[in-house]
Amino acid sequence: MQLRQLAGSRAPGTDDSKRELFKKVISYMTIGIDVSAVFSEMVMCSATSDIVLKKMCYLYVGNYAKNNPDLALLTINFLQRDCKDEDPMIRGLALRSLCSLRVANLVEYLVGPLGNGLKDGNSYVRMVASIGVLKLYHISASTCMDADFPAMLKHLMLNDKDAQVVANCLTSLQEIWGLEASTSEEAAREREMLLSKAVIYYFLNRIKEFSEWAQCIVLELVAKYVPSDSNEIFDVMNLLEDRLQHANGAVVLATIKVFLQLTLSMTDVHQQVYERIKSPLLTLVSSGSPEQSYAVLSHLHLLVMRAPFIFSSDYKHFYCQYNEPFYVKKLKLEMLTAVANESNTYDIVTELCEYAANVDIPMARESIRAVGKIALQQYDVNAIVDRLLQFLEMEKEHVTAETLVLVKDLLRKYPQWSHDCIAVVGNISSKNVQEPKAKAALIWMLGEYAQDMQDAPYILESLIENWDEEHSAEVRLHLLTAIMKCFLRRPPETQKALGAALAAGLADFHQDVHDRALFYYRLLKYDVSVAERVVNPPKQAVSVFADTQSSEVKDRIFDEFNSLSVVYQKPSYMFTDKEHRGPFAFSEELGNLSIDTDLANDVVPAQRVEENDKDLLLSTSEKEENHGSINNSSAYDAPSYDGSRMVGALQPQQDLVSLDQPPPANTPASLAMDDLFGLGLPVAPSPTPPPLALKLNAKAVLDPNSFQQKWRQLPVAASQEISLNPQGVSALSSPQVLLRHMQGHSIQCIASGGQAPNFKFFFFAQKEDEPSTYLVECVINSAACKAQLKIKADDQSTTQAFSTLFQSVLSEFGLP
């Protein structure tokens, strides 16, 4: 009623009264109370020249118009009238509100005001209108394109004097042409135009006119630009040199991304870029709030992990301060671990040992882990082992727990330290170790070094007596293995404890524990010497511990530099909704391939393959796979033994563990249980039938989105390098020749790219009678006559058969 009374009033003080009422309405709306009932009264009260009232009214209208299209129709007249107001501020606000209604059946009313807004004499109105075009596109793309708004935006972008208008036009055009490119060749050409030399230089020459966030938009565009030669690269970097000193961290990071992307193919210059960007990043880390520092530190962390030697002299910048939050300290500890080398290890470890005594338990744990990681890098091992053993004497539960886990890993890599470590570990009471991982580590050492620890059998026996009280399956599994190892080295002292452990394991409800106990029992019943070769074979020292994150993932994160991917330490596809992921965009012509950052490591645009072949075609993940023979499993593989020694069925159980009898002879007992692990097979097994030839579906179909999704989700089933015959290499004059050859053998190509001598292909095939798909990444170096294959499959059991088939087809290429 009060709003209605004030609607047509021109009395003095009316605007003040309206303000109070509008504030009440907006406050109710803000806390979630539905005030849509006063919509018409709010619209009637909007007839005023007071900008504050206009703003509140537009805020109210924008909130309720989308969900109340009928009410939104009431606002059209007064918004269109305000779009022609003499005050440019009101014109801009009205146009912004009009475009924010987002009601599909009202788009016809937007075209006229938007067209006038783009031609308005005031820069604020043009700035609003340039973003309004993008809003219109999302409401009705056809209306936007029919009105030829993109062409008007392009003209404004290249000719407007106001930098913010130019930046808004760039933002709108990038999104519009990016979405239209899949269906319109003209839009695809216009999108490529944004990356032309003339346009890029136009933006770079005006870079200082833009606001901070507009500069970030321009720099993101420049990062996608491919210069024609090294001179152009240096020109761009010289032009952007002063952006590294900018006060805004976002501008600095965007500039760093440009520098890194431009120099990927120039190894020496790329390293110099790391040296140049080091100082600005370290300055940003030490200034601003902890949240800002963390964002910058995350990017610095990524660079440190890629090139630790460049930052090794700056290790003191990564020391933790007492008032920093834990998430910042944890990142710094990881960087300290990475930059450790022969010259700075002593200082770093001394600092980390101070943190280990911290009252903050998570910080103390991370510090101890950091010390252990440095030791595993083979830097100053003697002193570090002494420090770790001192941690065990601190008698703090969390310190003891973390140290035991690290000592176990150290003994796996440095067996020569077993005497010193075991002397200290032997004094630790198992009752004082409660954490499952720590208890498992202690049990592993008791079993592995049972001959050196006098009380090992009795400590293990006491743990077995409390079997039912141990809730961790991991600990029970380690306990079974440890008691077996101890028994094989000290049988008289351990026989009783082993019997109790096997009995408890066979009765265990956890399937893995039950199966391991059953396996050990059958091994012992079959042959103790075989059991020793399986359970306790000769071991080599572990040379490399597995990384928790693959190099392929790290490379993708690097490609998404200056984004949330770096902060989250995972590629964008792992945390974004499907509809917002980058499209796997393929051109009509197989010789060219356009992609988004989502598969930047997997596919290389044709124009950049030759320049960046060392960094992209042979990424770190592929280099590691080529050296895959160095891994942990090689050191701990159980030795194989002659299957002919497996004699018939086992006799019925007499004693749980019997050592004074020879292996039982063949008896026709039931094989129902003992055949679980294949130990009761006949002496002469039937010959294995030859594998059936793999048949492929000649009409296999797979759309790009499905290929992309499968490629992300499936693990690598096979990875190898093969040689190509010279005739095939000489026939590879263009990718299409090979594609037709592969299609003739039911292997389809979904994407290809590159120029001689480096070509990259993505193939797929499907089994003839099953919906099982094989995916292949094939990188061919025609100069070396080599091909690198990476195969992923739905059914990994047939991967070897498909790999053989694929290599056979590829080897036939070019033969008469």
Side-chain angles (χ1 to χ4, degrees), residues 748-764:
Q748 314 297 330
C749 180
I750 199 166
S752 67
Q755 297 174 349
N758 297 304
F759 297 94
K760 195 163 193 174
F761 303 90
F762 281 90
F763 296 102
F764 73 92

Side-chain angles (χ1 to χ4, degrees), residues 67-88:
N67 297 324
N68 299 275
D70 296 335
L71 295 177
L73 191 58
L74 300 175
T75 67
I76 293 297
N77 287 334
F78 94 85
L79 286 175
Q80 284 187 321
R81 184 177 64 250
D82 286 352
C83 285
K84 301 175 183 178
D85 196 276
E86 294 180 358
D87 188 340

Side-chain angles (χ1 to χ4, degrees), residues 168-185:
N168 284 7
C169 289
L170 174 60
T171 301
S172 297
L173 287 175
Q174 278 187 302
E175 191 162 340
I176 291 172
W177 284 337
L179 294 171
E180 285 289 313
S182 59
T183 56
S184 168
E185 292 185 6

Side-chain angles (χ1 to χ4, degrees), residues 336-349:
L336 282 172
T337 303
V339 301
N341 58 25
E342 291 86 348
S343 62
N344 60 24
T345 293
Y346 179 80
D347 292 339
I348 291 177
V349 172

